[in-house]
Amino acid sequence: MKLDLKLSQKGWILVSVPLAFELIFVITLAFLVRQAEDLAAREKHSKAIIDRANDLAMTYYELIQGIAVYTITGKKERGQQYEDMKSALLTEYKSLTLMVRNNPTQAAEVQQMSELAFKILSRMDQVKKAVDERGKSAALLVLAQTRAQMEKAGAILVGQLRQFSAKEQNSMVTPEAGIRSTFLVKLCLCIGVVFNILVAAALALYFNRGTAQRLGILMDNTNRLARNEALHAPIPGSDEIAHLDRTFRDMVAALAEARRKETAVIDHAVDVICSIDATGRFAAVNPASLKTLGYEPQELIGRLYMELIYPEDRQNTFRQIEEIKTGNGTSSFENRINRKDGQIVDVEWSCHWSESESSMFSVVHDITERKEVERLKQEFVAMVSHDLRTPLTSLQGTLALIRKGTYGSLSEQGQARVINAEKNVLRLINLINELLELEKLEAGKLTMQFGNCQIASVITRSLDSVQSFAEQAEIELEAAQCKAVVYADEDKLIQVLVNLLSNAVKFSPPGGKVAITVTEDERSVELSVTDHGRGIPAKFKDAVFQKFKQVELSDERKKGGTGLGLAICKAIVEQHGGTIGVESEEGKGSTFWFRLPKGKTA
Ligand code: ADP
């Protein structure tokens, strides 16, 4: 049966198995060492008992001699020597009793011997007492009487002591037992070391097979992914490595899917998508190159992109690409390209320079149609300005002469019709003028006369322009005082403010008020024109700044105007680097504002 363990479980085995063996080994070793120590202690104890018993036998003999010498000599110091030996004997008995207290048989034997010894001692004491009290001759008599008994009892006691020693000697640990115990400890050490090495080697082998090899497969798979080669067969099992392998495969599949989608998008893109290497050669191109440039992608790869650029545009293109490389890395520009069939195609390049890959990633968009439309628009504007404005101006002049009666008097009805026709022609001329102006503004062709411009002067001159119109509409104009100066084209600012004021007057009820307010901070000046007219619905707030956008369809007819005024204002304000907007509540009025940066002054 094959064990399918997790990495964490394998880790546990790797640690716990040697640990368990180590533990068993240490316990066995401790046990054996303890045994050896016990043996040594027992041997030491037995030796001490034997020594003590021998000492006792010796002391006993010396005592007998000592009492005999004292009795014969009667010398005091001999008597003292006897006393010292006696107390030494007692101490030795006590110590022997203590040594054998844990062995009841030995304790009983020692007890028996000590009783006999005390008996003999009391006899000796009698002899000593006789010497001390009655003199040598009386004592010699006592000694003679008791000597035989003492020697007999002494022989028994010494015999008992010798027997006791011999028994203890027999019970002593044999040298073989000591050698065997040391051998056992050494054997255990050797077995332990060898076994531990074997266990460690076996575990290392098991771990290497189960883990390191499989990790190797996993790592090799990552290299294969980088080299775009097929991966190894899936790693079987349910541990972390197998799980990681499955996740890695899922990721590879997701990557392949994403790449497939990306390729599909690139292959089917209408624009040319390409990468250009650091030497300026195409490294990759999508199939759209055939339609836009007339070249198959394979024809372009390895070719210098500069070769395709229209010769007159090459210098500018080179400059743009250099700017992208040294600038923020991303930008777009336009140029012309020579198609394979010799046609010239206008294109817009959106480029991104990747420093890490030393490549330029570009999208080349065909703008030939847009350029054509621009050209047509310019032709149309030119046509409108020359072919329409001139005859209309002359028509307006003729109508004015007819109205004034230069060509004879008209009936009242005729006069009214001519006035109406003149008004309409004027509106048309106005519309054309505004259209042309907006066109120029948007194309950046309207030259502005920038200079230091007093906001107070802008306000005064704008109020002068709309004053009579306001009086006719019975609207009161109000304006704030202001000392701000901006760097701007004063006439254009007046044009903006006049447009806002006239709108405010147009859309205010008679008797209403229109106010100009100015707020300024360190960086900008904001002019606002507030009226109390019908206001602007929220959904029109942005739309009113677009061309021909009017809130109500009838505005053109009822209020006059072309729907271009606010679009022109927006273009002018934006050319000054400012912003324009409106705050309004429907039915309560509106506040049109424009903010200009103070920035620079002349
Ligand atoms: P127009 O020449 O028609 O006035 P504008 O671009 O100046 O063109 O204004 C666009 C439209 O925005 C106007 O037709 C009107 O519907 C709306 N509008 C502009 N100013 C105001 C205002 N102060 N109050 C209400 N509506 C306004």
Side-chain angles (χ1 to χ4, degrees):
M1 191 186 71
K2 197 170 178 299
L3 266 181
D4 193 11
L5 296 176
K6 293 211 175 305
L7 264 191
S8 50
Q9 291 167 326
K10 283 183 184 169
W12 271 110
I13 290 178
L14 210 64
V15 174
S16 55
V17 170
L19 206 71
F21 279 115
E22 209 73 38
L23 215 64
I24 294 170
F25 167 64
V26 168
I27 290 170
T28 315
L29 200 66
F31 175 73
L32 290 175
V33 168
R34 180 73 196 270
Q35 252 187 352
E37 279 174 358
D38 277 358
L39 278 178
R42 257 171 57 201
E43 195 179 336
K44 199 175 155 197
H45 186 66
S46 295
K47 268 191 185 151
I49 290 175
I50 292 165
D51 286 351
R52 188 60 66 229
N54 290 342
D55 286 351
L56 270 168
M58 195 75 105
T59 314
Y60 185 71
Y61 273 126
E62 280 170 3
L63 257 176
I64 291 178
Q65 268 179 11
I67 195 68
V69 172
Y70 180 51
T71 312
I72 294 162
T73 59
K75 283 187 182 166
K76 272 238 168 3
E77 62 270 22
R78 292 294 183 177
Q80 188 53 46
Q81 262 178 3
Y82 164 79
E83 284 297 337
D84 291 345
M85 278 189 282
K86 195 178 109 186
S87 64
L89 185 89
L90 288 174
T91 314
E92 281 165 2
Y93 261 116
K94 247 188 219 162
S95 131
L96 187 64
T97 314
L98 265 176
M99 281 177 182
V100 299
R101 70 180 181 285
N102 292 332
N103 186 334
T105 322
Q106 283 185 325
E109 283 170 359
V110 170
Q111 176 65 28
Q112 202 186 348
M113 287 188 289
S114 59
E115 277 168 12
L116 184 58
F118 287 135
K119 254 187 209 165
I120 299 165
L121 272 180
S122 73
R123 292 262 161 78
M124 286 184 190
D125 282 346
Q126 279 174 12
V127 176
K128 183 169 183 269
K129 201 175 169 194
V131 178
D132 291 344
E133 290 173 1
R134 289 186 279 156
K136 259 189 338 183
S137 40
L140 277 170
L141 199 69
V142 177
L143 184 66
Q145 284 168 355
T146 56
R147 186 167 187 160
Q149 278 176 337
M150 273 197 305
E151 275 175 355
K152 195 179 160 201
I156 293 168
L157 183 62
V158 170
Q160 278 179 352
L161 278 169
R162 292 233 167 96
Q163 219 179 340
F164 182 81
S165 293
K167 264 200 219 161
E168 187 58 37
Q169 185 75 44
N170 285 342
S171 74
M172 252 175 77
V173 182
T174 56
E176 294 84 49
I179 293 167
R180 211 182 70 225
S181 129
T182 319
F183 171 74
L184 271 178
V185 171
K186 283 180 184 166
L187 186 73
C188 177
L189 260 174
C190 286
I191 291 177
V193 168
V194 170
F195 202 76
N196 262 328
I197 291 172
L198 287 178
V199 167
L203 283 173
L205 209 69
Y206 169 68
F207 194 75
N208 183 42
R209 275 241 194 102
T211 308
Q213 265 180 19
R214 300 160 89 228
L215 270 178
I217 295 176
L218 211 60
M219 276 169 67
D220 194 43
N221 270 345
T222 57
N223 291 332
R224 283 172 173 235
L225 174 70
R227 294 196 301 264
N228 217 1
E229 288 173 11
L231 303 185
H232 287 284
I235 297 176
S238 63
D239 66 349
E240 289 87 339
I241 297 177
H243 186 70
L244 200 63
D245 183 57
R246 276 197 293 280
T247 313
F248 181 74
R249 275 163 199 287
D250 289 349
M251 187 197 81
V252 171
L255 267 177
E257 177 62 17
R259 203 175 303 151
R260 200 184 56 72
K261 283 184 185 158
E262 196 184 289
T263 314
V265 169
I266 292 175
D267 285 355
H268 294 97
V270 179
D271 292 338
V272 176
I273 300 171
C274 60
S275 70
I276 296 166
D277 66 18
T279 63
R281 289 171 200 280
F282 285 103
V285 186
N286 72 338
S289 63
L290 184 63
K291 191 166 171 267
T292 311
L293 313 173
Y295 291 98
E296 290 281 357
Q298 298 88 296
E299 291 179 87
L300 290 176
I301 289 170
R303 261 185 86 170
L304 286 170
Y305 79 94
M306 212 35 115
E307 286 175 11
L308 302 188
I309 312 291
Y310 187 67
E312 277 179 26
D313 293 352
R314 282 181 189 166
Q315 205 177 349
N316 186 41
T317 303
F318 182 75
R319 194 178 46 78
Q320 295 275 10
I321 297 272
E322 283 309 298
E323 267 175 25
I324 291 172
K325 282 185 183 177
T326 50
N328 66 2
T330 307
S331 187
S332 54
F333 58 88
E334 292 174 11
N335 64 11
R336 285 167 292 177
I337 280 184
N338 281 322
R339 275 176 59 97
K340 192 181 177 184
D341 56 16
Q343 274 184 35
I344 294 168
V345 46
D346 283 290
V347 291
E348 183 182 16
W349 293 70
S350 299
C351 300
H352 171 74
W353 169 249
S354 164
E355 196 66 55
S356 58
E357 296 186 40
S358 291
S359 291
M360 178 81 76
F361 297 99
S362 310
V363 176
V364 186
H365 179 57
D366 187 343
I367 54 165
T368 316
E369 268 179 36
R370 198 184 85 196
K371 285 276 170 186
E372 186 58 20
V373 171
E374 274 174 21
R375 197 183 54 75
L376 285 174
K377 210 164 126 188
Q378 272 169 9
E379 278 177 10
F380 175 73
V381 169
M383 188 274 281
V384 165
S385 62
H386 294 109
D387 300 355
L388 222 59
R389 194 164 54 166
T390 320
L392 276 174
T393 316
S394 107
L395 182 64
Q396 188 251 326
T398 312
L399 284 171
L401 290 175
I402 294 171
R403 177 172 46 83
K404 285 177 191 157
T406 314
Y407 304 115
S409 55
L410 286 171
S411 64
E412 209 171 292
Q413 198 186 7
Q415 185 78 6
R417 286 267 166 87
V418 169
I419 290 174
N420 199 26
E422 196 190 349
K423 244 196 221 168
N424 281 334
V425 170
L426 260 174
R427 236 192 30 214
L428 257 179
I429 295 171
N430 207 17
L431 174 67
I432 290 168
N433 284 341
E434 286 193 344
L435 245 179
L436 290 175
E437 187 178 6
L438 189 61
E439 185 57 40
K440 278 188 186 166
L441 269 169
E442 284 178 349
K445 285 183 186 163
L446 200 79
T447 37
M448 300 250 180
Q449 305 294 323
F450 279 88
N452 285 345
C453 163
Q454 303 278 345
I455 293 294
S457 152
V458 173
I459 294 174
T460 317
R461 287 177 60 194
S462 305
L463 285 175
D464 288 348
S465 306
V466 291
Q467 194 60 50
S468 63
F469 177 47
E471 277 167 13
Q472 274 172 30
E474 295 169 41
I475 304 294
E476 195 187 324
L477 297 175
E478 265 179 19
Q481 295 298 317
C482 166
K483 285 183 182 158
V485 178
V486 287
Y487 186 65
D489 182 327
E490 188 168 321
D491 288 341
K492 292 285 171 229
L493 287 194
I494 292 168
Q495 188 180 342
V496 173
L497 194 55
V498 166
N499 193 75
L500 298 184
L501 283 170
S502 8
N503 278 351
V505 170
K506 259 197 294 187
F507 293 100
S508 290
K513 264 188 194 170
V514 167
I516 302 175
T517 46
V518 186
T519 46
E520 68 174 306
D521 59 27
E522 285 163 15
R523 288 189 290 175
S524 60
V525 179
E526 187 178 297
L527 278 96
S528 308
V529 177
T530 307
D531 66 62
H532 304 282
R534 70 177 191 208
I536 309 260
K539 63 175 179 177
F540 276 99
K541 273 187 180 175
D542 291 327
V544 288
F545 293 98
Q546 292 169 13
K547 288 179 226 172
F548 303 115
K549 278 279 158 84
Q550 291 177 314
V551 175
E552 283 176 21
L553 287 174
S554 56
D555 280 355
E556 185 183 353
R557 194 169 25 86
K558 285 190 192 159
K559 308 276 178 186
T562 56
L564 287 173
L566 288 177
I568 292 173
C569 290
K570 188 169 188 259
I572 293 174
V573 170
E574 281 176 358
Q575 293 228 347
H576 280 81
T579 42
I580 189 165
V582 61
E583 303 298 329
S584 177
E585 203 177 324
E586 226 184 324
K588 292 198 174 166
S590 31
T591 298
F592 278 84
W593 57 264
F594 63 97
R595 195 179 303 126
L596 300 167
K598 274 180 169 176
K600 51 182 183 178
T601 47

